[in-house]
Amino acid sequence: MRFLIVDDSSTMRRIIINTLNKLGHKDCYEAANGREGLERLAAATVDMIITDWNMPEMTGVEFIRAVRASESTRGLPVLMVTTNAAQDDIVEAMRAGVNNYVVKPFTPDTIREKIESALEG
Amino acid sequence: MDIPREIVANLIRATTDVFETMVLKRIDLIDPAKEIPPRAGSQVAATVGFTGHRCGAVVFHAGADVAREIAGALLAMPAAEVNGEMADAIGEVTNMIAGTLRTRMASLEPAWAIAVPTVTIGSDFVTRYATDAARVLCAFDMEGQGIQVELILNRQ
Ligand SMILES: [Mg+2]
């Protein structure tokens, strides 16, 4: 399984990748914003996307809309990891095409469970 | 202009949540002071601005050693090995505090739009604010070391 982690914080990417490594997933691509994420997807195939929302250049929601609009990436599972947890945020993210949601700050158990349940489909 | 009490209470809760859940360190509130004490120990300041229904910023202050310790705890690495990672880690801690505050306040009023963090590292900087901005500084004890979270609200 190959993952794409999109977050402007290298710290948050490292925390998520550490969690994935512990789950036995060593194959992770990184991108610092939605635009870089789309470039990654154009160059390589992945099995799942984990993305932040608040990022410069292209936000997570804009990124997911682009992912859902493209034939080759339309069906990819997307997990959003964000502090944006107001009712309207969750509605907006789900409309954009997010499959699963993790609210920051999160415990190691929470992120692990959400990744596992997203992988189960 | 006074800062509404529920914003300060939610800022304290947001900060405590972030530290206990992700940094895995207990922090205790010392005093939410209206009078801003000197911050001789502040060498790292991370700012996350917000706008919309309210306009202002959340600023996180810590000494360099404390900031390195926080980064190490987040990244699961020894504090002594933390170097280039520190600024991003403190920026993300501040992002999580501001974002959690935004979410908490969104149940009471229209949600704010928050910006991405900026981090300043140095030893001799002074920050000046617009005279009509209201400020509150919350000081915490983190296992014997001091950290501070400041909220600035601009008059609109
Ligand atoms: Mg971010």
Side-chain angles (χ1 to χ4, degrees), chain B residues 15-98:
Chain B
T15 307
T16 310
D17 267 12
V18 168
F19 273 78
E20 288 180 358
T21 313
M22 295 217 64
V23 186
L24 304 178
K25 286 186 186 293
R26 188 198 153 113
I27 59 169
D28 294 297
L29 181 69
I30 298 170
D31 185 29
K34 245 181 147 179
E35 295 302 316
I36 312 293
R39 276 194 312 264
S42 171
Q43 291 162 307
V44 182
T47 304
V48 172
F50 53 85
T51 183
H53 185 72
R54 293 183 196 275
C55 185
V58 172
V59 191
F60 180 88
H61 302 272
D65 289 347
V66 186
R68 206 169 286 118
E69 203 172 300
I70 293 166
L74 266 177
L75 291 160
M77 64 192 279
E81 287 172 23
V82 172
N83 278 309
E85 302 88 349
M86 190 251 271
D88 183 85
I90 299 304
E92 182 59 18
V93 164
T94 313
N95 174 56
M96 287 192 282
I97 294 169

Side-chain angles (χ1 to χ4, degrees), chain B residues 86-134:
Chain B
M86 190 251 271
D88 183 85
I90 299 304
E92 182 59 18
V93 164
T94 313
N95 174 56
M96 287 192 282
I97 294 169
T100 304
L101 172 64
R102 171 196 174 273
T103 291
R104 289 180 158 276
M105 291 307 297
S107 62
L108 306 171
E109 60 186 40
W112 316 337
I114 73 168
V116 293
T118 55
V119 182
T120 307
I121 300 174
S123 55
D124 231 1
F125 57 82
V126 177
T127 314
R128 295 192 197 286
Y129 302 95
T131 46
D132 58 353

Side-chain angles (χ1 to χ4, degrees), chain A residues 9-12 83 85 89 104, chain B residues 22 75 88-89 92 99 102-103:
Chain A
S9 164
S10 57
T11 304
M12 196 48 66
T83 58
D89 298 330
K104 294 192 276 193
Chain B
M22 295 217 64
L75 291 160
D88 183 85
E92 182 59 18
R102 171 196 174 273
T103 291

Side-chain angles (χ1 to χ4, degrees), chain A residues 44-115:
Chain A
T45 53
V46 305
D47 301 293
M48 183 174 167
I49 295 168
I50 301 178
T51 184
D52 183 21
W53 185 325
N54 295 322
M55 296 181 284
E57 292 194 53
M58 182 188 255
T59 69
V61 163
E62 290 163 348
F63 169 62
I64 293 160
R65 287 195 190 112
V67 165
R68 293 292 179 240
S70 159
E71 194 68 52
S72 58
T73 56
R74 179 165 293 164
L76 283 176
V78 176
L79 174 64
M80 178 159 259
V81 181
T82 178
T83 58
N84 292 4
Q87 202 64 44
D88 292 350
D89 298 330
I90 295 169
V91 170
E92 188 180 347
M94 291 300 169
R95 281 205 184 121
V98 166
N99 302 100
N100 251 300
Y101 216 78
V102 175
V103 178
K104 294 192 276 193
F106 52 78
T107 64
D109 282 347
T110 303
I111 185 102
R112 190 168 37 76
E113 282 162 19
K114 289 287 173 100
I115 289 170

